[in-house]
Amino acid sequence: MKLLGGRAASAVMGLFMLALGSSGASAQNVGSLNVPAAVRALDVDTAARPLGTAVHAATAPVVAATTAIATVTGSVLQVRPATSVTLPLVPSVATEAAWLRSAGWPLYALAERFGVGAPLDEQANCIATAVYHEARGESLEGQLAVAKVIMNRAASGQYPTTWCGVVKQPWQFSFVRHGRFPYTDTNCDEWRKAVGITRLAIANAVPSLPDDVLWYHATYVAPSWGKRLTFAQKIGTHIFYRA
């Protein structure tokens, strides 16, 4: 009893008495009883957990904060990957261009980025056509300034109120003949740049000329009306004026 302990000893004694009391038991049966095995079978590990239960450490999903925007093509740009992102995905040239500029994209990269995509509508196409024919040999800043002048005129109340009306107004843009545009090669790099610059101008995504700059001319001419205006800025071979 002392050797086995109370619970185990009681179990062994019960088995032993059961064997003695059995009418069919013999001395050989009792002698063949494996007492150590019986003790091990009945031994209980009090530190063990009950079967059928599991203990798990409480965990919470990790959500990494991120800054992301939807591009005009429907893809999503993120500053860094995140486990989960919840944000409104509204494509916007202005938003995407501002995001890319803050990441260090120069104007030429932005013009290339937005020079592809869905075709321009009629009014935007008039600006791009004017940029192509008037300033495709200029810097991108100069092209952006030409687009800005067209938009400024339409908003000024002094010129037609549509972009196409401004571009096709008689005696204003020399490349226009009787209200019609000449042939434009829409498969060249210069056209794609003009499209990209037009999209950036319409979105007001890149700083350019002030809203009151309505006129410009090439440096190799000296029109009389230039003397009545206030010089604003010279960009490439174009001089821009305000009233």
Side-chain angles (χ1 to χ4, degrees), residues 1-13 35-36 38-40 43:
M1 292 289 288
K2 290 181 180 180
L3 177 63
L4 295 176
R7 184 181 302 179
S10 298
V12 171
M13 289 302 296
V35 175
V39 172
R40 288 194 300 270
D43 195 13

Side-chain angles (χ1 to χ4, degrees), residues 110-134:
L110 293 174
E112 290 180 2
R113 168 69 186 87
F114 296 107
V116 297
L120 300 175
D121 62 25
E122 180 185 6
Q123 294 296 317
N125 189 73
C126 284
I127 295 180
T129 302
V131 169
Y132 175 84
H133 287 286
E134 287 278 302

Side-chain angles (χ1 to χ4, degrees), residues 46-240:
T46 57
R49 296 187 178 92
L51 295 176
T53 63
V55 179
H56 300 282
T59 59
V62 178
V63 179
T66 187
T67 301
I69 63 168
T71 70
V72 293
T73 60
S75 59
V76 178
L77 301 177
Q78 299 185 55
V79 172
R80 62 186 178 87
T83 304
S84 176
V85 179
T86 302
L87 73 166
L89 301 180
V90 181
S92 167
V93 172
T95 301
E96 183 180 347
W99 190 90
L100 293 174
R101 286 186 68 230
S102 68
W105 281 44
L107 182 55
Y108 75 85
L110 293 174
E112 290 180 2
R113 168 69 186 87
F114 296 107
V116 297
L120 300 175
D121 62 25
E122 180 185 6
Q123 294 296 317
N125 189 73
C126 284
I127 295 180
T129 302
V131 169
Y132 175 84
H133 287 286
E134 287 278 302
R136 67 177 179 269
E138 296 292 310
S139 66
L140 294 178
E141 289 79 7
Q143 294 182 32
L144 184 62
V146 169
K148 181 66 173 176
V149 166
I150 295 170
M151 295 172 62
N152 286 352
R153 284 190 175 190
S156 69
Q158 303 178 47
Y159 290 87
T161 57
T162 66
W163 299 333
C164 287
V166 167
V167 174
K168 293 181 178 181
Q169 187 178 18
W171 312 109
Q172 297 302 313
F173 292 88
S174 60
F175 75 93
V176 180
R177 295 287 187 271
H178 306 292
R180 295 186 178 183
F181 296 152
Y183 170 77
T184 301
D185 182 4
T186 57
N187 293 315
C188 65
D189 290 338
E190 288 79 6
W191 172 252
R192 282 187 286 275
K193 290 178 183 177
V195 169
I197 288 296
T198 297
R199 287 198 173 106
L200 293 170
I202 293 173
N204 196 28
V206 179
S208 186
L209 297 174
D211 294 342
D212 61 346
V213 176
L214 306 180
W215 303 273
Y216 71 90
H217 65 75
T219 56
Y220 49 81
V221 298
S224 58
W225 52 261
K227 299 177 181 178
R228 301 190 301 269
L229 302 173
T230 301
F231 171 84
Q233 191 173 350
K234 178 182 179 295
I235 305 176
T237 62
H238 284 153
I239 300 175
F240 295 86

